[in-house]
Amino acid sequence: MRFGLVVQLLVFGVSVLAARVQVTWDIGYKSISRDGFSTWRAIGANGQVPIPPIYVTQGDVLELTAINHLDKPITLHAHGLFQRNSTFYDGVGMVTECGIPPGGQYTYMIDTGEQHGLYFIHGHYGLEMSEGLRAPFIIQEKEQSTEYDEDILLTLEDWGQQPEGELIERLKQVSTDSLPNDYKTGLVNGINGNISQTVQFECNRRYRIRVLNIGLDQSFKVQIPGHTMHVIEADGVTTKPLRVDGLDLAPGQRYSVIVQALESDEFNYGLNVTMHADFLDPVPGLTPRYYPQVIEYRKGAPMREYAQQSDDALVWPDDFTLEPRDECEMGSADRVIELNKRNYLPGMGLPYYGLGNASYASVRVPTMLSALTMGDLARDPLVYGPQSSVIVLNYMENVELVVRNGMNRSHPMHVHSRVFQVVERGPWGDAQAMGKRVVPLQVARPNNPMRRDTVVLPEFGYIKLRFKADLPGAVSIVHCHTEHLAQGMA
């Protein structure tokens, strides 16, 4: 039996577990200013922007009913969830479903199975995610952990001066050598990052801080000077504790860290958030942007100040230093698939992107429906259309996916329905000619490489990922988790 990767993958059946959590999102527009100066029509649920987090327990089934009051179709995707035996609930427009039409509604059955940790739910038909259709999704462990005393959620997102879809349409009308910059505002827990928020700490307590980047194209760094962080989770994968000085999260990435509170409440401390993007040249006051928050031990206590250190002097989590707690050896590759990130310039205007030989374009019939109705022809990638980028895999083969990027912008690459092993990263293209840092060659430990679902494809670099094709009948998608998906990078 075979199944396909879209940069797409096929699945049948619905698993049934005990506890069910019912949530309804009445999805509509709301005019709002989230950055303090630009007001536009955002997307929210039940009249709320931002949409509140959803909490469930490991093993629960989330019944999420979406009622569409927009003027366009929508879908909802649970980012990081495996959807074993239920990929038809994966929520990817024109890949696993047609989408919920205006005035329609649909209930997604999201089976958490054995997964736990930090995820999020977002629109996945067009660019609705960037307009507010996104919310954290936390799956708590069945057994209460003794590693920490309290749980804190830190949600990070970028917010543009106009809807991203409108910006892309405007950029299509201008020359590629005069693209305007859209300097965005960082939001911390849904609030303009310039408005300092307070996180309460008590002396000697241990805190689990769950940090996620649900934004579109900006990365975020997080530091708590004077405190020790230990990473214990990345993208839903429990890791062996790793001491770090800070976190750096690309769009779609998540971390949990344990932070030990200090013994004294003599001072309060900074919780420093920095929003940055490698595709924007530094402009003072515009990019990068700094959003100082406060760790408060005692109201009115003075702030403890620290000299700023360069990033190179600090320890950051890396896919080649992180290690899953549950060990799994690197499987040898039965098959190697090579994908080069490409730019396509259809005349003047905004470029389109692609992985391989085509720029991905949405099909008229969802890929999954074609796979389920074409019989033996479903094994032929040409059945799905020349720009659907379908790759058909053999059941249970070990696949090595090599993705190369010879351009001066990094890309957060996300694979649906699974985690993959990050086995190698290295240089590709002429970084020095562009004045860029040469990506060093790094190879994972063979006995236990890091596993996650979203990885950074560096500028002028490549990554090698491995996974087992163990989802018979599944249809999944591999894509850049920025606006580049709408421009064909899948």
Side-chain angles (χ1 to χ4, degrees):
M1 187 172 184
R2 311 180 81 177
F3 72 109
L5 162 68
V6 75
V7 154
Q8 291 182 56
L9 285 155
L10 260 200
V11 160
F12 307 91
V14 181
S15 56
V16 180
L17 289 177
R20 294 180 179 271
V21 178
Q22 296 180 330
V23 175
T24 297
W25 280 3
D26 201 332
I27 297 169
Y29 293 112
K30 183 175 183 177
S31 183
I32 191 171
S33 175
R34 302 185 73 189
D35 58 10
F37 57 88
S38 59
T39 300
W40 48 272
R41 194 174 68 165
I43 299 175
N46 308 325
Q48 294 179 283
V49 179
I51 303 172
I54 296 176
Y55 287 85
V56 300
T57 300
Q58 182 183 11
D60 287 351
V61 175
L62 172 64
E63 296 184 6
L64 178 57
T65 299
I67 304 171
N68 184 9
H69 290 289
L70 307 182
D71 54 8
K72 55 187 176 183
I74 57 169
T75 62
L76 293 178
H77 167 64
H79 182 103
L81 270 290
F82 294 161
Q83 298 286 12
R84 293 192 182 278
N85 301 319
S86 57
T87 309
F88 40 81
Y89 288 130
D90 198 39
V92 185
M94 303 315 294
V95 175
T96 60
E97 63 173 278
C98 294
I100 307 168
Q105 70 177 60
Y106 184 71
T107 298
Y108 293 89
M109 307 290 285
I110 302 171
D111 187 345
T112 63
E114 294 301 312
Q115 290 184 262
H116 57 84
L118 188 55
Y119 306 87
F120 64 105
I121 296 173
H122 64 83
H124 211 307
Y125 193 91
L127 290 166
E128 296 80 24
M129 182 187 80
S130 67
E131 299 170 35
L133 189 52
R134 54 195 182 192
F137 180 40
I138 298 91
I139 307 175
Q140 297 173 317
E141 295 178 74
K142 292 178 184 177
E143 303 293 331
Q144 179 64 41
S145 174
T146 59
E147 291 185 81
Y148 56 93
D149 303 303
E150 192 173 332
D151 210 315
I152 296 172
L153 181 65
L154 187 64
T155 304
L156 307 171
E157 53 190 313
D158 52 28
W159 194 254
Q161 300 172 31
Q162 60 185 303
E164 196 73 23
E166 291 182 13
L167 176 64
I168 287 181
E169 288 303 314
R170 182 164 63 90
L171 295 183
K172 287 180 180 178
Q173 309 304 317
V174 301
S175 170
T176 54
D177 62 2
S178 61
L179 297 180
N181 289 319
D182 179 26
Y183 294 110
K184 297 183 176 181
T185 297
L187 308 179
V188 179
N189 285 342
I191 299 174
N192 186 334
N194 291 304
I195 301 173
S196 183
Q197 300 176 59
T198 297
V199 177
Q200 296 291 335
F201 267 27
E202 292 183 28
C203 293
N204 298 314
R205 288 174 68 83
R206 288 166 63 83
Y207 294 88
R208 176 176 184 163
I209 304 181
R210 304 178 191 257
V211 189
L212 71 164
N213 181 355
I214 63 174
L216 183 67
D217 59 18
Q218 306 278 313
S219 294
F220 287 89
K221 292 178 180 177
V222 177
Q223 297 169 266
I224 308 178
H227 294 71
T228 300
M229 288 182 179
H230 284 90
V231 177
I232 61 165
E233 177 211 347
D235 293 359
V237 174
T238 302
T239 66
K240 298 177 181 180
L242 177 69
R243 186 190 181 284
V244 297
D245 296 314
L247 303 173
D248 193 358
L249 301 92
Q253 292 189 319
R254 298 93 64 204
Y255 287 105
S256 285
V257 293
I258 298 293
V259 179
Q260 174 68 58
L262 304 179
E263 295 180 354
S264 169
D265 64 358
E266 181 182 0
F267 294 100
N268 295 330
Y269 294 80
L271 193 165
N272 300 330
V273 176
T274 302
M275 186 176 75
H276 66 99
D278 61 11
F279 57 89
L280 294 176
D281 292 329
V283 178
L286 293 176
T287 182
R289 288 189 167 180
Y290 304 98
Y291 301 110
Q293 314 298 303
V294 176
I295 298 291
E296 184 179 84
Y297 282 88
R298 179 171 53 86
K299 192 173 182 62
M303 290 291 294
R304 179 70 184 267
E305 302 294 339
Y306 288 87
Q308 186 174 358
Q309 293 181 277
S310 70
D311 287 352
D312 292 340
L314 302 175
V315 177
W316 305 87
D318 184 84
D319 295 326
F320 296 90
T321 55
L322 287 167
E323 212 177 335
R325 184 184 64 187
D326 297 332
E327 296 190 2
C328 181
E329 290 187 357
M330 184 191 304
S332 59
D334 300 317
R335 178 179 180 185
V336 177
I337 298 171
E338 300 184 12
L339 300 172
N340 291 348
K341 185 264 183 182
R342 299 179 185 275
N343 286 7
Y344 298 88
L345 297 173
M348 300 299 285
L350 191 70
Y352 289 87
Y353 303 106
L355 291 175
N357 296 321
S359 179
Y360 173 76
S362 181
V363 293
R364 295 188 177 184
V365 177
T367 305
M368 173 168 282
L369 296 185
S370 295
L372 291 173
T373 57
M374 294 304 295
D376 288 343
L377 289 176
R379 301 176 181 177
D380 185 351
L382 295 178
V383 163
Y384 304 94
Q387 285 189 267
S388 62
S389 304
V390 165
I391 299 170
V392 178
L393 303 178
N394 296 311
Y395 180 51
M396 295 304 288
E397 69 180 347
N398 286 323
V399 179
E400 178 172 284
L401 190 62
V402 183
V403 189
R404 302 185 182 95
N405 175 27
M407 308 301 292
N408 60 341
R409 176 175 176 175
S410 60
H411 302 271
M413 300 303 300
H414 175 53
V415 180
H416 285 221
S417 305
R418 67 184 64 252
V419 291
F420 46 76
Q421 295 179 321
V422 185
V423 300
E424 189 173 307
R425 178 173 62 206
W428 179 260
D430 197 349
Q432 289 183 323
M434 297 294 293
K436 297 288 185 175
R437 181 181 70 94
V438 176
V439 177
L441 176 64
Q442 292 174 285
V443 180
R445 61 184 71 80
N447 62 319
N448 193 28
M450 184 55 196
R451 303 189 298 274
R452 63 187 316 161
D453 60 51
T454 306
V455 65
V456 174
L457 172 63
E459 52 183 349
F460 298 105
Y462 72 87
I463 50 174
K464 289 184 180 180
L465 315 174
R466 286 187 191 170
F467 61 88
K468 184 179 287 293
D470 57 356
L471 297 174
V475 175
S476 300
I477 184 169
V478 178
H479 65 88
C480 174
H481 211 275
T482 71
E483 75 280 4
H484 289 168
L485 171 59
Q487 296 169 245
M489 193 170 173

